[in-house]
């Protein structure tokens, strides 16, 4: 039995296959109880990226979730607030992204021509609408790599449901002022001074391993006198951005630390 059929073009291969099967007296018993596979759309894959799958959340959402959402995420999305880990007051902790996502986004950024982090970490920042950053970090904005819309979908589909669980009475509006990957390095920026975030709530996701890839580091919430360190890859801290949770990035003493930060609902 052939996949080709003179009456049907490539977009109707399933119809052509069925027609040929009937013509050859091949009996087919079809059930849809189990999923044995699916077609993957490939039209926006390019040869300019190492990890094209990162950009497929809109056209291949099931594959994207399988590859890049933490395997335990679905267990958390049905929990009530008291069941969430709370390492500091009103700072919650949950599994969001897979290790594969973390490795892929780091490799993608570090494999780009030149140094994609170069030129950041200073107050005068042309990437921002006002051209000035009060508390700069060495980072890459998702707008620089055409990933902002994909990340907004992650926030709406996967972070929003968690936010509604831990901060009752508020519902994520679906916007983010900035979403970016920060790079702390022993020979570059090692820490971040105390600051508030330009957000209603912030998410901060660990992309590599404290104690293995770097030493030191961590998020210190000053008013709460509370340090969060040793966050597992793909796990996310969610906390208020303004007023109550003045915080700083503690100094790393060795290696390179990567985190993914998003200022949500500015």
């Amino acid at each position: 039995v052939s996949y080709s059929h003179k009456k049907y073009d490539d977009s109707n291969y399933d119809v052509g296959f069925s027609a040929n099967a009937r013509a050859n007296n091949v009996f087919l018993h079809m059930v849809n109880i189990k999923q044995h596979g699916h077609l993957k759309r490939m039209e926006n894959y390019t040869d300019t990226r190492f990890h094209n799958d990162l950009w497929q959340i809109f056209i291949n959402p099931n594959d994207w979730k399988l590859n890049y959402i933490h395997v335990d995420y679905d267990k958390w999305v049905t929990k009530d607030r008291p069941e969430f880990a709370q390492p500091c007051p009103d700072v919650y902790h949950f599994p969001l992204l897979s290790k594969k996502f973390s490795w892929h986004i780091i490799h993608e950024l570090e494999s780009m021509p030149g140094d994609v982090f170069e030129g950041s970490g200073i107050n005068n920042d042309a990437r921002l609408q006002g051209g000035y950053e009060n508390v700069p970090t060495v980072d890459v904005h998702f707008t620089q790599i055409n990933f902002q819309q994909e990340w907004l979908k992650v926030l709406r589909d996967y972070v929003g449901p968690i936010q509604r669980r831990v901060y009752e009475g508020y519902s994520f509006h679906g916007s983010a002022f900035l979403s970016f990957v920060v790079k702390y390095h022993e020979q570059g920026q090692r820490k971040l001074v105390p600051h508030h975030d330009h957000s209603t709530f912030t998410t901060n996701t660990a992309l590599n391993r404290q104690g293995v890839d770097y030493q030191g580091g961590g998020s210190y919430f000053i008013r709460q006198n509370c340090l969060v360190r040793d966050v597992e890859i793909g796990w996310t801290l969610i906390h208020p951005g303004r007023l109550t949770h003045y915080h700083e990035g503690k100094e790393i003493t060795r290696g390179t630390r990567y985190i993914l930060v998003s200022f949500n609902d500015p």
Side-chain angles (χ1 to χ4, degrees):
V1 177
S2 172
Y3 280 97
S4 63
H5 192 276
K6 62 182 181 180
K7 187 177 178 181
Y8 304 105
D9 60 25
D10 288 343
S11 65
N12 287 292
Y13 58 86
D14 52 338
V15 179
F17 177 84
S18 299
N20 285 336
R22 290 194 300 273
N24 287 274
N25 294 316
V26 176
F27 176 74
L28 297 177
H29 178 65
M30 307 295 289
V31 295
N32 62 359
I33 298 174
K34 294 183 179 180
Q35 181 173 336
H36 295 282
H38 60 273
L39 297 174
K40 190 168 184 175
R41 293 174 57 183
M42 306 292 288
E43 61 262 33
N44 66 348
Y45 278 69
T46 76
D47 59 3
T48 61
R49 298 169 178 151
F50 279 92
H51 304 290
N52 276 283
D53 286 341
L54 287 168
W55 281 264
Q56 306 309 309
I57 191 169
F58 288 105
I59 66 171
N60 293 302
N62 293 332
D63 289 305
W64 204 97
K65 180 178 181 180
L66 184 65
N67 281 324
Y68 294 134
I69 293 299
H70 197 288
V71 66
D72 290 330
Y73 170 84
D74 286 336
K75 298 176 184 177
W76 258 254
V77 79
T78 58
K79 290 180 182 290
D80 294 323
R81 181 175 54 79
E83 299 176 84
F84 281 78
Q86 192 175 179
C88 298
D90 280 328
V91 178
Y92 296 92
H93 192 204
F94 68 97
L96 176 61
L97 300 171
S98 68
K99 289 182 179 179
K100 180 184 283 189
F101 178 96
S102 301
W103 300 139
H104 280 191
I105 195 68
I106 291 172
H107 184 247
E108 190 73 40
L109 295 177
E110 294 291 9
S111 300
M112 289 181 172
D115 182 356
V116 72
F117 291 93
E118 188 176 2
S120 62
I122 58 176
N123 294 113
N124 294 317
D125 192 337
R127 299 173 300 174
L128 301 176
Q129 186 174 4
Y132 188 85
E133 173 56 69
N134 254 344
V135 186
T137 52
V138 173
D139 57 36
V140 174
H141 295 180
F142 280 159
T143 51
Q144 291 177 253
I145 61 170
N146 198 28
F147 192 68
Q148 180 70 4
Q149 294 306 311
E150 285 78 2
W151 183 247
L152 284 173
K153 183 165 177 59
V154 175
L155 293 174
R156 292 162 184 159
D157 289 357
Y158 298 105
V159 173
I162 297 292
Q163 176 271 300
R164 290 188 289 273
R165 289 281 174 178
V166 296
Y167 300 124
E168 302 98 331
Y170 183 82
S171 186
F172 178 43
H173 299 164
S175 63
F177 171 66
L178 281 178
S179 303
F180 52 100
V181 172
V182 179
K183 179 180 181 179
Y184 294 109
H185 189 267
E186 59 183 304
Q187 296 178 350
Q189 183 176 12
R190 301 165 70 106
K191 63 182 180 179
L192 189 61
V193 299
H195 61 283
H196 286 297
D197 295 334
H198 186 42
S199 68
T200 299
F201 69 95
T202 295
T203 48
N204 179 337
T205 304
L207 297 180
N208 62 341
R209 302 163 294 181
Q210 199 272 345
V212 178
D213 301 309
Y214 65 93
Q215 297 288 344
S219 299
Y220 179 64
F221 294 90
I222 295 166
R223 181 170 175 266
Q224 291 76 15
N225 189 25
C226 184
L227 175 65
V228 185
R229 183 177 279 169
D230 193 21
V231 179
E232 293 183 42
I233 293 176
W235 280 68
T236 296
L237 297 177
I238 181 171
H239 62 83
R242 298 189 185 92
L243 189 62
T244 58
H245 283 65
Y246 193 55
H247 59 284
E248 64 181 325
K250 285 295 189 180
E251 184 174 10
I252 65 164
T253 57
R254 183 187 64 81
T256 305
R257 178 191 183 202
Y258 296 93
I259 56 174
L260 194 171
V261 178
S262 193
F263 295 162
N264 309 306
D265 281 353

